[in-house]
Amino acid sequence: WVGVGMQGGTGAQQELRFEDLCKGVTEKAPAKDASAYDWLAFAHQYAQMQRVWNENTQTLRSAHGGRYASLRQQLNKDFSAWVSTAYQGLYNHPAVHPVMVHHIPAYLASRLAQKEARKVAFLLLDGLALDQWLLLKDALAPALTDVTLRENALMAWIPTITPVSRQAAFAGKIPLYFTETVFRTDKDEYGWRQFWSDRGMQLDQVAFSTVRGDNSDLSKLESAFEDRVRVFGCTIYKVDEISHGVKVGAAGMTSQVKTWAADGFLGALVQRLLKEDFTVFLSADHGNV
């Protein structure tokens, strides 16, 4: 019984863990009348299964490949059916309990207004899937000592592409309200600054950066740490860059994300932000398949 609660390192242990995760995913799959919150909670379980598969594909493929493929196919079918009927109303949920990425800026604003945060930093990792967040979270552990970590999932905008979903995440608007730039990827800073300006922030209280995510980029972010800055938005596009260049599927993607995470850029940035009294929020604009 102890084995169920242990991550395990050997191939046999990982097989047992994968079997247990598949069983849990099968049992906890949301019903047809499930709410968005049901699917978002389930996403964490599904991501754990994905992570173990992607990290141990060669070991697991012969014995579990058919089951894994069948389970994914069924879940994708169920989720697609749910989206076709339930997705259209999600945009109108209150931002105090965010469900979609365009709720993020209003949620940050409410944290400031309620004095639950003195300064906020929003780090957007372009194209980060939830199973890859689990990798990053492990790598961030040394930077999160004595820090409270809260997690939840969000829905991206359909189509789940950068010009649509990332703009929505920074502008705090549904795509209907940025139709003139909906095919552009260079308007995130404009949308971010406009959102905060509409809420009374002065120009020098708002900072924004776009970086690749290399350690050498840390020096490019100094403007975020000026005394007057209260809100900082940052796009980090390393994961998206990896996804467009990977040649060996999800397993290769996992390996490269782990390598990037180990380089320490994200941990160093989070530590610096915490030191400067920022409350840090991290999200993706969309995932990857």
Side-chain angles (χ1 to χ4, degrees), residues 78 172 260 282:
D78 293 346
W260 174 64
L282 185 150

Side-chain angles (χ1 to χ4, degrees), residues 13 24 32 57 60 76 85 100 127 141 144 154 172 186 249 275 280:
Q13 288 172 323
K32 290 182 178 180
T57 303
L60 298 173
N76 281 327
T85 59
M100 297 188 68
L144 298 178
L154 296 170
D186 61 346
K275 183 179 178 181
V280 181

Side-chain angles (χ1 to χ4, degrees), residues 86-131:
Y87 183 86
Q88 61 184 352
L90 298 183
Y91 75 94
N92 212 21
H93 278 238
V96 68
H97 298 296
V99 175
M100 297 188 68
V101 292
H102 71 282
H103 294 144
I104 292 172
Y107 179 75
L108 303 186
S110 71
R111 302 281 73 76
L112 291 172
Q114 295 176 27
K115 302 189 184 305
E116 294 181 5
R118 195 174 76 84
K119 300 190 289 185
V120 295
F122 173 36
L123 309 180
L124 186 146
L125 278 78
D126 193 351
L128 181 76
L130 196 52
D131 57 289

